[in-house]
Every structure is written in structure tokens, then in C-alpha cells.
Amino acid sequence: MKANDLRRFFAFKTGIFRQLAKKDRLGLRKEYEITMKLYQPDYYEQFQCTASKCPTTCCMQWRIAVDDETFHKWDDEWKEKVKEVEEGRIIELKNDGMCPFLNEKKLCKIVLRDGEGAISETCHTFPREEHEYIGRVERALTPGCPAVLDLLWKQECFQIQKKEEQMEGIAEEIYEINPVLFEIRDWFLDIVNTREIKLNTTLEICFLIALDLYELEQKGVLEDEFQSYKNTTDIWKIQDAIGENGTITEERLEEYNLLFLDVSQIYREQNIYGDFLVPLAEEAEKINGKETECFKTYQHKINKWAKELRNLFAEEISSAIITPGTGQVLDILVKLEWMAMEYAVLSQSLFLQQRKGELTDKKIQKSVCVVFRMMGYADDDIWEYMDNCFDSVIWPWEYYSLLV
């Protein structure tokens, strides 16, 4: 099953950034004071919200969750702007897709009146993510924010900063993850950061390795044999075996186009990111699979941003491969498949952008923001998609290779 099977899934789902909304509803709270290992991008502390100057504000056109604690603090006037949905409570946006709490200067009325402590956990946290595991805390900045992309674009190479820090507070939940899964994730990050290998090939290498590790896990020997497997695996030989996979074919172009149209359909219907998506969708409707030469021109031009796009997917490997719901290699495989979809949808968005005019930093960042917001689903929703739209949650190698 391919892109056309997505329609029934995306017809009733719109992305809430990974675990933000669900985190608001966790009931288990633990007080702690302990020395923890802290892992975060080396630019994490440099992040600053640009507020009213943001070109793609997070206060518009996505589902802004309101946790119970915040909701019960608000007065009746503010509560009237909240509605109940399947996932909990969200802010009901205005007809133009803007948050009703934004004033004419694009500043939050809640913060202006009562301070940052009055806004919901989602608003207070985004674009930051923080997950607490036994003995470690991992932080990330999601790429659906222009200010984050400005920082990410400046990095020569995506790197994780590791340090020990005395931490205290109240944890919503502390998760236990098999340590070998962190080792796998870190290995994959090293592979994606290998500049001598093309980005798409590094993703293919990670997927093939994950398939092997899944077999070891099924045999019950993953922990015992992982280090030996890693030591004897030659990624350069895997690259040679895969061969060149950058050629655009009619089948690949058609699949990219279908994926873009299906993923964006519900957003276009609800006029979410409509000013960006509708013109691209109109351009996509003209694609018949014969534009392979045009796509080759796009591939040549996008090489100018090879470093930035590699950093983007290195960040995704770092922050999305392991989340609190990760319990086995199969979860990592599913995340790699979702990442392949992000790669395909982003590639098609940029190709369509290029067909409408020259690519620029601003246009590329806009595409990244919208695509990663559209596809910022929680783990449960990703699994639901895989179960509903494919015969097996483990894709055939041929389809993964087609997408990247």
C-alpha cells in the first residue's frame, strides 16, 4: 500500500507536536533531586522566541492543547475560547486560523495580563521537548519553529552536548528505556552525520541496520550481540551494495506527489497553512510523472542546502528515534519509516516551490516548518497509521528505498 492509502488516515488527524498534548494529561508525578546526565543540542541554550517577529508563529493554524491545571485557572472569558476534542481540550482558533489570545501586535494577551505562568504547558514548552529517563534527561528543539531553524542552519554539524547536572523538581513521569536502544540511536546519528555519504543513503543504511537488529531482538540476543554486530558492520560496504539511489524516476515522482497531496489534504480543507499549501497543491495537480528532468534541476539547486538538510535529519534522528514510548527496535524501525515520509513530503514541497520560483533560505525554512508541523504526530498516531495503511508495519526495502 502506498500514498493513496493515507487519505483515510489524514482525513481525521491533524498533527499535535509529538507528545506535547499527551504530556499535559499524565497523572504520575514524582519529586526528585538527583545528579542526571543531560543531553541536548549544543545550540539549545541559544534559543529565544522571536514572538511578534516570528514569520510562522506557533500561535496559529495548529491544535494548541490546554492542560487541565491551566484550564481550571482561567476565567470564564478565556474558557469560552476552549473546546473539547478527542485528545482533550484545545484553543478554538479564529476563522483566519489565528489564536484568539493574540493581540494586534501578535503578542499573547494571557502573558501580558497574567504572565507566562498562566499559559498552557504546550504553549510554555514549544518548541522545547524534554524527556526524563532513568539516569538521564534528553532535550530537543523541534524544527517546526523558524527560530530553531535559524540556529540549526548555522551549525556546521549537528552535535549533542553531554554533561552532568544537579536537577530537582517534579517529574510528570520518568521512563525506563533499554540502554542498547540509546546506543543504536547514537550510532545512527553518527551515520547520518557522515558527510562523505549522501543523506538519503545514510537513511537507507540506518534502515537496513535496523532490520538486522530487529532480527537479533526477535532471537533474544540483541543486548549480547549488538556491540559485536556494530564492530563488524562496514557502512561503506553497505553504501557500495546499495549503489546510487538519487535518480528520480516517474514512479518516485508520482509517489512523492501523492504523498504531498494526501498529507496536506486535511490541512487545505480546513484552511490550515492554506496560503502556503494551496498554491503548491495546485502546482502538484499538474504533475503527471513526466517532469523528471525538472526534478533533476531541482536536485542540482537544492545541493546548496545539503548541510542544512543533513542537520535537519540528524536532529530528527536524535530527537524522534527514541521517545518515552520506545520499547523495542521495532519502534525505531517505524520512526525511520515515518522519517522517510517526511523526507519525501519535504522533497516534493521544495520541488513544487522551485517550480513556482527560485529557492531561498526563507522558502526552504517555511517548507520545513509546515511539513514538520503537519507530520508532528504522537507515537500512538504513527502506529495507528502504520496499522491502517500497510499490510505490515515493517515496510519492504523497495518502498523505503523509493521514498528516500
Side-chain angles (χ1 to χ4, degrees):
M1 297 185 184
K2 296 185 179 179
N4 52 342
D5 299 292
L6 283 166
R7 199 172 301 274
R8 56 181 173 155
F9 177 76
F10 288 109
F12 63 91
K13 297 286 184 181
T14 51
I16 298 180
F17 282 69
R18 299 202 182 110
Q19 303 292 338
L20 288 180
K22 294 191 175 183
K23 182 178 178 183
D24 285 347
R25 304 201 307 276
L26 289 173
L28 184 58
R29 300 168 66 86
K30 299 180 181 179
E31 295 187 19
Y32 66 88
E33 181 177 353
I34 191 172
T35 299
M36 301 278 276
K37 292 181 180 178
L38 177 63
Y39 298 79
Q40 63 187 29
D42 55 9
Y43 54 86
Y44 184 88
E45 302 293 348
Q46 300 173 40
F47 171 76
Q48 286 188 324
C49 175
T50 57
S52 61
K53 297 178 181 178
C54 182
T56 312
T57 176
C58 56
C59 303
M60 61 177 285
Q61 297 185 329
W62 67 293
R63 305 175 81 181
I64 305 169
V66 179
D67 56 283
D68 291 344
E69 184 177 349
T70 301
F71 180 77
H72 293 305
K73 287 181 186 176
W74 285 0
D75 58 31
D76 290 340
E77 180 185 355
W78 287 358
K79 286 179 179 178
E80 289 177 357
K81 302 183 188 323
V82 176
K83 67 178 181 179
E84 299 271 354
V85 293
E86 180 183 352
E87 296 87 354
R89 294 187 182 93
I90 63 172
I91 294 173
E92 187 167 15
L93 303 181
K94 297 192 295 185
N95 291 336
D96 61 359
M98 301 299 290
C99 176
F101 295 115
L102 279 188
N103 66 15
E104 65 279 359
K105 295 181 179 180
K106 294 186 178 179
L107 295 174
C108 180
K109 298 175 185 177
I110 298 175
V111 174
L112 291 173
R113 194 186 85 176
D114 291 346
E116 288 196 12
I119 59 177
S120 72
E121 178 70 13
T122 297
C123 294
H124 183 74
T125 302
F126 183 81
R128 305 170 190 86
E129 289 186 23
E130 181 173 303
H131 299 307
E132 299 179 19
Y133 306 100
I134 294 178
R136 68 195 287 154
V137 173
E138 297 204 348
R139 293 172 177 167
L141 295 168
T142 63
C145 169
V148 171
L149 291 178
D150 283 339
L151 290 171
L152 187 58
W153 256 223
K154 294 174 183 176
Q155 308 306 306
E156 280 305 307
C157 182
F158 177 85
Q159 297 289 339
I160 289 295
Q161 179 186 66
K162 305 173 186 178
K163 60 181 180 179
E164 288 192 351
E165 189 170 293
Q166 188 74 14
M167 306 187 75
E168 61 182 40
I170 299 176
E172 295 290 349
E173 189 164 356
I174 298 177
Y175 300 92
E176 184 174 5
I177 301 288
N178 185 344
V180 75
L181 298 181
F182 287 114
E183 295 183 50
I184 293 169
R185 188 272 312 276
D186 294 345
W187 185 21
F188 287 175
L189 178 57
D190 289 340
I191 291 172
V192 171
N193 270 333
T194 303
R195 295 190 182 187
E196 295 82 3
I197 303 177
K198 291 182 177 180
L199 172 60
N200 67 311
T201 304
T202 64
L203 295 175
E204 291 177 298
I205 291 172
C206 290
F207 185 73
L208 287 173
I209 290 174
L211 289 173
D212 282 350
L213 296 177
Y214 174 68
E215 289 187 9
L216 294 180
E217 185 177 63
Q218 292 299 102
K219 295 175 182 177
V221 297
L222 176 65
E223 290 80 2
D224 295 333
E225 297 191 12
F226 169 71
Q227 199 59 51
S228 174
Y229 174 90
K230 180 182 177 183
N231 292 342
T232 56
T233 297
D234 188 332
I235 63 173
W236 306 100
K237 288 184 178 179
I238 299 177
Q239 176 191 221
D240 293 340
I242 292 173
E244 177 59 46
N245 188 31
T247 303
I248 188 69
T249 62
E250 290 186 15
E251 181 185 15
R252 175 175 287 172
L253 181 55
E254 289 175 356
E255 191 66 14
Y256 278 13
N257 210 44
L258 284 171
L259 276 170
F260 170 78
L261 287 171
D262 285 344
V263 168
S264 66
Q265 181 187 10
I266 185 64
Y267 293 89
R268 289 182 280 119
E269 289 176 350
Q270 296 183 8
N271 196 30
I272 300 175
Y273 312 119
D275 60 333
F276 175 81
L277 292 173
V278 171
L280 294 188
E282 291 172 351
E283 192 69 29
E285 295 290 356
K286 303 173 186 177
I287 301 291
N288 57 21
K290 305 297 183 182
E291 293 84 355
T292 54
E293 289 301 318
C294 294
F295 201 95
K296 290 177 184 177
T297 300
Y298 152 75
Q299 288 176 313
H300 175 73
K301 292 183 177 181
I302 200 63
N303 279 335
K304 179 181 176 182
W305 290 274
K307 181 201 73 166
E308 288 81 0
L309 293 176
R310 186 181 296 272
N311 284 349
L312 174 66
F313 282 91
E315 190 284 330
E316 277 294 281
I317 288 285
S318 174
S319 66
I321 285 292
I322 290 184
T323 57
T326 305
Q328 54 188 332
V329 174
L330 182 58
D331 294 315
I332 292 178
L333 270 170
V334 169
K335 293 292 185 62
L336 287 171
E337 292 167 350
W338 193 258
M339 200 175 300
M341 287 180 55
E342 290 175 333
Y343 182 94
V345 173
L346 178 61
S347 295
Q348 190 65 9
S349 298
L350 295 175
F351 169 57
L352 295 169
Q353 285 265 56
Q354 189 262 329
R355 281 173 62 88
K356 293 182 67 62
E358 288 300 311
L359 290 173
T360 64
D361 278 334
K362 288 185 178 181
K363 288 182 178 180
I364 291 175
Q365 287 194 8
K366 176 77 171 183
S367 292
V368 171
C369 281
V370 173
V371 169
F372 279 78
R373 289 188 188 189
M374 285 197 305
M375 302 190 69
Y377 289 91
D379 293 355
D380 290 347
D381 292 330
I382 293 174
W383 268 93
E384 182 182 348
Y385 156 72
M386 292 296 179
D387 284 336
N388 288 344
C389 299
F390 288 88
D391 295 330
S392 170
V393 295
I394 301 178
W395 288 355
W397 157 251
E398 292 78 11
Y399 187 60
Y400 191 90
S401 182
L402 178 70
L403 292 193
V404 302

